[in-house]
Amino acid sequence: MRLVGTKLLYLAGMLLLISVITFAAIHMAPNSFFAAGGLNPNMTPEAIARLKAVYGLDKPLWEQYLSWLSSMLHFDFGVSFASGNRVIDEIKERFGITLGINLVSMVLIFFLAFRYGIRSAMKGGAYEGGLKQLALLSYATPSFYLALVLIYLLGLKLGWFPIAGLESLEPKKGFERWIDIAWHLSLPVAVITFTGFGSLLLYVRSLTREILKSDYIFFARARGLDEKTIVRRYVYPNLLPFIVTILGLSLPGLLGGSVILEQIFSIDGMGMLFFQSALARDYPVIMGILVVGALLTLLGNMIADLILLAIDPHRRR
């Protein structure tokens, strides 16, 4: 419990520091949402001043920060300049889409990388060489280029998949609606999976090769254990700390979204929201997304550390 308390204090301190840096960076950025002509060329300076007073932007910076920090502790990130809605509502509206896409993609990435990374290290030869080349191709392929190629070939030429949006023009109901959404998200998930599994596969392959050089693997084979048993008893347990660490670091990515892919496929997710807010200089939304991402990163690291302490006796000592 002392360790958990220490990590929570560290998380709170880091989150406070990140909030200060985020707030300062946003307010040092050139121009603003309320710049002359940014809203309406016909708006008078008096009208802009009244609008700033409504949002509390007429107060000193330190008062603005303390007010924002106090609201942030209650997960209230203010009101969007562009839409007038609460920032937390804007995030809630978009995060489900991004969470679904990235969660499915992450499961596929981990499954492919660990299954074939271990198998390539175990088999070697041409099988390992072929998977290595595929992994390098995955690592080197830009996601936006692959997305455009798939849209052209599978969407426009063959007509197998829709090229944009989340649902068909005629919305469906019940189970058919979920099938329709899955059909629309097939190409984005395929792009994220293919461009994401290569580097992880190479890393798993490298770690597995190092594990296979260990003495306990030599003695396990000398005892006549088959390869499946060796993988289950010796390879998987030694890869587990790495899996936990990567999963902890992947937590913020579940809600981060992809600005480029969501633009290409016209998906209203977190990436699109962040991009639109940056263009409109909608600072409350930008700060809200950055703080949520920082919180998830810190939580992911803390959870991964605690799980590693629970499963690894060397770390406990």
Side-chain angles (χ1 to χ4, degrees):
M1 292 304 297
R2 284 198 302 269
L3 180 63
V4 173
T6 302
K7 288 189 173 295
L8 287 174
L9 287 175
Y10 169 78
L11 185 147
M14 286 299 298
L15 196 59
L16 179 64
L17 180 61
I18 290 171
S19 70
V20 172
I21 295 174
T22 301
F23 186 86
I26 288 295
H27 283 79
M28 286 191 297
N31 298 326
S32 71
F33 183 81
F34 298 98
L39 291 169
N40 186 335
N42 297 321
M43 285 189 71
T44 62
E46 293 78 12
I48 294 177
R50 286 197 301 271
L51 201 55
K52 286 184 176 181
V54 169
Y55 287 100
L57 299 178
D58 57 336
K59 299 177 182 178
L61 282 180
W62 65 271
E63 286 190 23
Q64 294 183 41
Y65 172 74
L66 291 179
S67 175
W68 175 67
L69 182 62
S70 175
S71 300
M72 186 182 68
L73 294 176
H74 300 88
F75 284 92
D76 180 9
F77 299 104
V79 178
S80 168
F81 293 159
S83 65
N85 300 325
R86 294 173 65 233
V87 173
I88 192 66
D89 293 334
E90 294 269 349
I91 294 176
K92 286 179 180 178
E93 184 181 350
R94 306 287 189 99
F95 92 94
I97 301 168
T98 300
L99 177 63
I101 296 173
N102 289 330
L103 187 60
V104 173
S105 302
M106 189 179 74
V107 170
L108 292 174
I109 288 171
F110 271 76
F111 173 78
L112 294 173
F114 280 91
R115 178 177 176 83
Y116 293 102
I118 294 173
R119 290 185 66 179
S120 65
M122 297 288 291
K123 289 189 174 183
Y127 185 86
E128 182 182 20
L131 279 177
K132 181 180 178 182
Q133 295 304 316
L134 181 62
L136 291 173
L137 179 63
S138 162
Y139 183 72
T141 302
S143 59
F144 71 89
Y145 177 76
L146 180 61
L148 294 175
V149 170
L150 293 182
I151 286 174
Y152 178 73
L153 293 178
L154 303 182
L156 297 178
K157 284 290 185 181
L158 299 176
W160 291 353
F161 296 97
I163 62 174
L166 282 173
E167 297 184 57
S168 300
L169 294 178
E170 297 180 1
K172 296 176 174 56
K173 296 181 181 180
F175 184 70
E176 291 185 357
R177 179 172 179 266
W178 294 107
I179 296 295
D180 186 48
I181 292 175
W183 183 46
H184 278 74
L185 295 181
S186 298
L187 290 184
V189 169
V191 172
I192 296 173
T193 302
F194 183 80
T195 57
F197 88 96
S199 58
L200 188 58
L201 186 148
L202 292 174
Y203 199 14
V204 171
R205 167 183 163 273
S206 176
L207 288 175
T208 305
R209 287 172 65 90
E210 292 299 319
I211 293 172
L212 294 176
K213 296 176 183 177
S214 304
D215 292 336
Y216 52 83
I217 298 292
F218 173 78
F219 286 111
R221 285 173 170 164
R223 287 164 51 200
L225 295 180
D226 60 276
E227 295 298 308
K228 289 184 179 180
T229 304
I230 290 175
V231 170
R232 186 176 69 254
R233 290 187 182 179
Y234 299 103
V235 177
Y236 282 152
N238 283 281
L239 285 176
L240 189 58
F242 168 72
I243 297 173
V244 171
T245 303
I246 294 297
L247 283 174
L249 294 176
S250 300
L251 183 60
L254 292 177
L255 297 181
S258 172
V259 175
I260 297 176
L261 289 183
E262 289 183 7
Q263 283 281 344
I264 292 175
F265 290 103
S266 299
I267 299 173
D268 289 330
M270 292 291 289
M272 181 79 83
L273 176 63
F274 188 84
F275 177 72
Q276 293 171 343
S277 301
L279 289 182
R281 301 185 182 89
D282 196 350
Y283 297 148
V285 177
I286 297 173
M287 291 192 293
I289 294 175
L290 291 176
V291 169
V292 169
L295 177 61
L296 290 174
T297 303
L298 294 171
L299 279 176
N301 284 329
M302 188 183 78
I303 293 171
D305 285 344
L306 294 176
I307 294 176
L308 288 175
L309 288 172
I311 65 176
D312 191 345
H314 296 289
R315 288 179 178 266
R316 287 202 299 272
R317 286 199 293 269

